[in-house]
Amino acid sequence: MRARAAARLWGTAGLTLALLTPVAAATATPSGAHTATAHRATAAQPHAASSVLPFDDYSDMVVDGVHSRLFFSDPTRGAVVVTDFDGTVLKQVTGLSGAAQLALSQDAATLYAALPGADTVAAVSTTTHKVLARYATGAGTAPRTLAVSGKHLWFGYGAEGAGDIGSVDLTTAHPVVTLGQATGDSWYSAPALATSAAAPGVLVAGERDVSPATFAVYDVHTATARRTAERRLPDSGATRDLAFTADGKSIIVASGSPYYHQLLRTSDLTDAGRYPAAAYPNAVAVAADGTVAAGVDSSHGSDVFMFKPGARASHGVFEFASGDSSPLLLPAGLAWAPDNRRLFAVTRETRQGAPVVLRVLTTPGKAATETVLHIPSTTPSGTRSLTGRLASDLPFSAGTTVTLTRLDPGATKPVTLPPTTLAADETFALTDRATAHGYITYTASFAGDALHLPSSTSIEVYIR
């Protein structure tokens, strides 16, 4: 004898309560099963400031910790915008055709801007904000990426199919520009570049416009680049951002795929780990204390994941969505303040004409969670299987439990079923035996923890 059941469903996540209709779960739902899914709750994200920037477009951001200034490049307007750490605009340096990537001298006295529209690299004073010099790189070179190592400025240049690396030797009274530094290497276009004071004389380059991407490491202690390692990553998408770890021993790659931030040793580009954020990685920034901010291009869920050096699990997230607003983190749109307490993020909504917004982020929040519960509409008399899934942008620790309760017809107090522990794939399962007839309400609840918001969901099943 089998009982027939009809179900009504509702769910909560955090402090949100909503009536739900049956929906398809992300995992396979047993035939004839009813499914309840909790809404994802968005953690409140404290921030020190949120400022609209006077941009038509965005390319890069540099933090000047000596003068407490931020520099942004706008390629469409050919300008560099200067703000304080709260995003208040102080100056706009114009006449910088196609302003692309920026780089700061080691003494923070000079800001360099790649100007592909003028085949030039410009040097701008970080105090007077005046253009000090323009270094011509040659007709048709279109320099786009920059990195400073000691007294040498390195730039990626070239049209599609003709990428290369050049340098500006700043040690002479009249700086000397040298092209063709990537001897023997074939870059499809101007490669992404990165250097670090923690790894003096080391330059890392990565493909920007093709997949799979190739990476290379160069010894740049002198004015001539010498390749020391090279690797093609079959699963890697076009490079969106690069950053050295705080100790200079590894490079962190943000690319559209794979769906985590790759960690490569700068000695030989072998795998050194990963930071499992989410799809699609597009930004990375490393604080002075080693904390990694891993950003993704996501219109749903968390946008920035925080990791301790070498950690496999994030300890906090930032989520920009609020109400009907769904801003996206822009590529290479993350940078840290020197005090490690503020993270600068450049965002923009997807709607036409939306402004570019600087967000100054402080303490990261907890990740939203989602509870899914399945109950078959027909079950053996008195026995029914309860299965479900707990989902979040941050992984759950081993031993995480979900509490299930059953409210029998006419009862005012639910019966708590034995606790169930999440499996490795974040699913749970429980068999309940109840002989009551009428409406029975099952609820699956996650209480939340140090990294996750709580969530719950319920299904009301009528047993005849």
Side-chain angles (χ1 to χ4, degrees):
M1 184 77 178
R2 303 179 73 87
R4 291 182 295 171
R8 290 184 292 187
L9 313 100
W10 61 90
T12 66
L15 299 179
T16 303
L17 176 64
L19 181 66
L20 299 180
T21 55
V23 295
T27 56
T29 302
S31 176
H34 290 291
T35 303
T37 307
H39 282 293
R40 294 182 74 89
T42 300
Q45 301 300 335
H47 59 275
S50 180
S51 304
V52 174
L53 297 173
F55 291 175
D56 289 336
D57 200 1
Y58 165 80
S59 180
D60 197 21
M61 168 176 51
V62 160
V63 178
D64 176 1
V66 173
H67 304 103
S68 298
R69 297 289 183 261
L70 300 175
F71 296 93
F72 306 88
S73 55
D74 180 345
T76 300
R77 292 196 304 118
V80 168
V81 176
V82 187
T83 76
D84 62 17
F85 279 1
D86 289 328
T88 301
V89 176
L90 304 175
K91 180 73 174 180
Q92 297 188 51
V93 185
T94 58
L96 304 175
S97 181
Q101 192 168 9
L102 306 173
L104 195 65
S105 63
Q106 292 187 336
D107 61 4
T110 307
L111 177 78
Y112 300 103
L115 311 181
D119 296 325
T120 299
V121 175
V124 179
S125 168
T126 54
T127 53
T128 67
H129 307 138
K130 295 184 180 298
V131 177
L132 303 174
R134 294 176 184 264
Y135 309 123
T137 56
T141 52
R144 294 185 179 278
T145 59
L146 294 176
V148 172
S149 178
K151 292 292 185 179
H152 294 91
L153 175 65
W154 299 88
F155 59 92
Y157 70 92
E160 293 184 359
D164 211 321
I165 297 174
S167 65
V168 182
D169 187 344
L170 303 172
T171 62
T172 61
H174 300 285
V176 176
V177 174
T178 303
L179 300 178
Q181 291 274 19
T183 304
D185 294 332
S186 178
W187 297 105
Y188 177 75
S189 61
L193 301 177
T195 56
S196 171
V202 177
L203 174 72
V204 175
E207 294 277 13
R208 294 170 53 251
D209 299 317
V210 294
S211 301
T214 295
F215 294 85
V217 179
Y218 297 91
D219 182 332
V220 292
H221 283 90
T222 66
T224 301
R226 181 176 62 86
R227 190 185 69 202
T228 59
E230 185 177 30
R231 182 183 179 189
R232 184 173 181 265
L233 298 181
D235 298 329
S236 178
T239 305
R240 293 290 175 261
D241 204 4
L242 290 173
F244 275 80
T245 53
D247 60 10
K249 294 181 179 180
S250 299
I251 192 81
I252 304 171
V253 180
S255 57
S257 62
Y259 298 160
Y260 53 83
H261 287 62
Q262 299 166 283
L263 195 62
L264 306 175
R265 293 181 180 85
T266 52
S267 58
D268 54 10
L269 293 176
T270 55
D271 294 332
R274 63 179 64 176
Y275 290 107
Y280 302 89
N282 71 342
V284 59
V286 180
D289 66 357
T291 300
V292 174
V296 299
D297 179 359
S298 172
S299 57
H300 303 285
S302 302
D303 300 277
V304 181
F305 298 75
M306 309 297 289
F307 295 89
K308 296 297 184 185
R312 287 299 305 272
S314 172
H315 64 267
V317 297
F318 290 104
E319 189 167 334
F320 302 142
S322 177
D324 294 332
S325 171
S326 184
L328 298 178
L329 177 69
L330 295 180
L334 292 176
W336 285 95
D339 61 6
N340 301 331
R341 296 179 180 178
R342 285 169 291 185
L343 178 66
F344 305 108
V346 183
T347 67
R348 191 175 207 167
E349 290 190 35
T350 55
R351 61 183 173 85
Q352 186 71 24
V356 176
V357 175
L358 170 68
R359 300 169 187 270
V360 185
L361 309 172
T362 54
T363 309
K366 295 182 179 181
T369 61
E370 181 178 68
T371 308
V372 178
L373 181 60
H374 309 300
I375 299 179
S377 57
T378 57
T379 61
S381 179
T383 302
R384 55 200 54 88
S385 298
L386 313 177
T387 61
R389 173 178 55 86
L390 189 60
S392 176
D393 288 334
L394 298 187
F396 296 94
S397 60
T400 295
T401 60
V402 175
T403 299
L404 289 101
T405 62
R406 184 190 73 242
L407 183 63
D408 293 325
T412 58
K413 189 174 183 180
V415 175
T416 301
L417 305 180
T420 178
T421 302
L422 288 186
D425 60 358
E426 300 183 345
T427 61
F428 58 86
L430 186 69
T431 299
D432 180 43
R433 181 173 180 80
T435 58
H437 296 276
Y439 282 108
I440 296 178
T441 301
Y442 286 98
T443 299
S445 302
F446 168 61
D449 56 28
L451 300 180
H452 303 87
L453 290 171
S455 64
S456 66
T457 192
S458 298
I459 299 180
E460 189 177 65
V461 183
Y462 185 74
I463 305 296
R464 294 180 182 179

